[in-house]
Amino acid sequence: MTAKIISGTETAKAIREELKIEIAELKEKHNVVPGLVTILVGEDPASQSYVTAKNKTAHALGIHSEQMTLAADISEQELLNLIEKYNNDDKIHGILVQLPLPKHINEAKVLYTINPDKDVDGFHPVNVGKMVLGEQCYLPCTPHGILELLTRSGVKTSGAEVVVIGRSNIVGKPISNLMLQKRDGGNATVTICHTRTKDMAAHTKRADIIIAAVGVPKMVTADMVKEGVVVIDVGVNRIGKTAEGKAILAGDVDFDGVKEKAAAITPVPGGVGPMTITMLMKNTLQAAKQAAGLI
Ligand code: L34
């Protein structure tokens, strides 16, 4: 079997077209323009490229966006003050602080400071709590993107054995929780593997769906999966540079090997990454509609 490629680029494009129409209508009917601010601390090249892509996409969809870049040695208090400023800015409906932050800044404190109504990343404990309870909230962008990819590709999750590799707050924990809920893209039986798991392959070989979010290049190999598995590769690892200085990317999955056994697989690049950015746009639209009392 050679796998069907689940294209995040194509799926993201389709969703962006839908969002563009909705954003234009919001402006026309209600004179509301969704506003997003991204805050990046420091100069990590990967973070820079993601944040730039977020602002470019926002612009292309008709979202007002502001890109703040702060020096790596900025104090925690200065960052908190800036967040407060945007909490009180009516033009801004969504605030995103790109992670990771430099070590001298307390990440939890920063995330707690963002007004939960403007927390378009869904990282504030209020939104995490609502998510776990299955209440209306902002879903974190990467897990949200994975759900959209699965449902729009027609992957049946109800009753499926899902194995999530990785237990981060950004991906592993939320996607595990969402997929066990009674919802589209959910109703699965979920197992979570991590660095202390004894026999990872014993779990992954049972899986109907594998979600790999570990940050170890090509960790999931063909011998670890069963025929017909659906593989969602969340890893975006920079494993080298081309002669022109462009980053060479690899996922957490050995794509060439695993695609021979899988029914469907996401590529890297062009898989989950573009979906993460698109879900941020969707959440920002949701934030603007909520602020205007439309939902
Ligand atoms: N606050 N921090 C906050 N929110 C997030 O949702 C993120 N994340 C993760 C890191 N920190 C964050 C992102 O934005 C990861 N992430 C992210 C976003 C986009 C892409 C990858 C990770 C992406 O577009 N990847 C492209 C390749 C881009 C490249 O050349 O590097 C892809 O096709 O996978």
Side-chain angles (χ1 to χ4, degrees):
M1 184 187 292
T2 289
K4 173 185 136 184
I5 308 297
I6 300 177
S7 170
T9 307
E10 289 305 314
T11 311
K13 207 186 268 177
I15 299 173
R16 286 174 196 181
E17 286 309 314
E18 297 165 14
L19 292 175
K20 206 169 162 177
I21 293 167
E22 251 198 272
I23 290 163
E25 270 179 14
L26 187 65
K27 178 155 191 217
E28 206 176 285
K29 289 196 191 140
H30 302 280
N31 202 26
V32 172
V33 177
L36 170 71
V37 61
T38 63
I39 303 175
L40 171 64
V41 183
E43 293 174 356
D44 175 64
S47 297
Q48 273 175 340
S49 91
Y50 302 153
V51 162
T52 300
K54 289 173 184 184
N55 283 276
K56 249 170 92 174
T57 307
H59 185 75
L61 298 189
I63 293 174
H64 163 76
S65 81
E66 298 181 22
Q67 186 168 355
M68 290 295 301
T69 308
L70 308 174
D73 63 355
I74 191 171
S75 73
E76 184 179 280
Q77 193 55 50
E78 279 175 281
L79 176 58
L80 298 179
N81 292 346
L82 186 70
I83 293 170
E84 282 297 353
K85 183 182 108 151
Y86 286 113
N87 278 343
N88 296 313
D89 182 340
D90 290 342
K91 288 194 305 300
I92 296 299
H93 307 101
I95 302 172
L96 175 136
V97 179
Q98 189 70 17
L99 302 178
L101 288 165
K103 288 202 175 54
H104 69 280
I105 296 177
N106 181 335
E107 183 180 297
K109 211 163 162 185
V110 168
L111 298 179
Y112 274 63
T113 303
I114 298 171
N115 177 346
D117 293 334
K118 297 193 177 189
D119 170 36
V120 283
D121 257 330
F123 292 166
H124 190 287
V126 164
N127 285 317
V128 177
K130 286 184 175 177
M131 179 201 73
V132 170
L133 295 170
E135 289 178 19
Q136 154 91 359
C137 63
Y138 299 111
L139 296 184
C141 300
T142 302
H144 197 176
I146 294 170
L147 292 183
E148 287 279 348
L149 265 186
L150 289 170
T151 51
R152 289 186 186 234
S153 319
V155 176
K156 190 172 158 272
T157 58
S158 183
E161 291 280 345
V162 172
V163 172
V164 175
I165 315 175
R167 54 177 159 181
S168 70
N169 289 340
I170 298 195
V171 187
K173 281 185 205 162
I175 193 63
S176 307
N177 193 274
L178 287 165
M179 292 195 75
L180 61 81
Q181 293 186 17
K182 280 187 188 164
R183 54 167 299 143
D184 278 355
N187 290 308
T189 303
V190 181
T191 303
I192 309 170
C193 296
H194 48 75
T195 41
R196 302 293 172 91
T197 297
K198 276 190 190 140
D199 185 355
M200 179 104 53
H203 295 286
T204 53
K205 275 183 196 160
R206 287 191 292 109
D208 301 313
I209 301 171
I210 295 175
I211 317 251
V214 261
V216 178
K218 304 185 189 183
M219 196 207 79
V220 177
T221 47
D223 58 312
M224 292 170 67
V225 308
K226 73 175 183 191
E227 286 283 340
V229 66
V230 173
V231 180
I232 305 291
D233 189 351
V234 186
V236 184
N237 306 291
R238 290 170 149 66
I239 57 168
K241 278 191 177 166
T242 63
E244 298 84 45
K246 256 188 84 184
I248 300 170
L249 303 179
D252 292 344
V253 176
D254 176 21
F255 183 86
D256 292 333
V258 172
K259 81 172 193 308
E260 300 303 325
K261 280 174 98 176
I265 186 167
T266 62
V268 177
V272 175
M275 293 298 293
T276 296
I277 294 176
T278 300
M279 292 305 111
L280 176 66
M281 305 303 132
K282 191 170 170 146
N283 286 355
T284 304
L285 171 60
Q286 183 185 330
K289 288 196 326 207
Q290 255 163 236
L294 298 169
I295 42 174

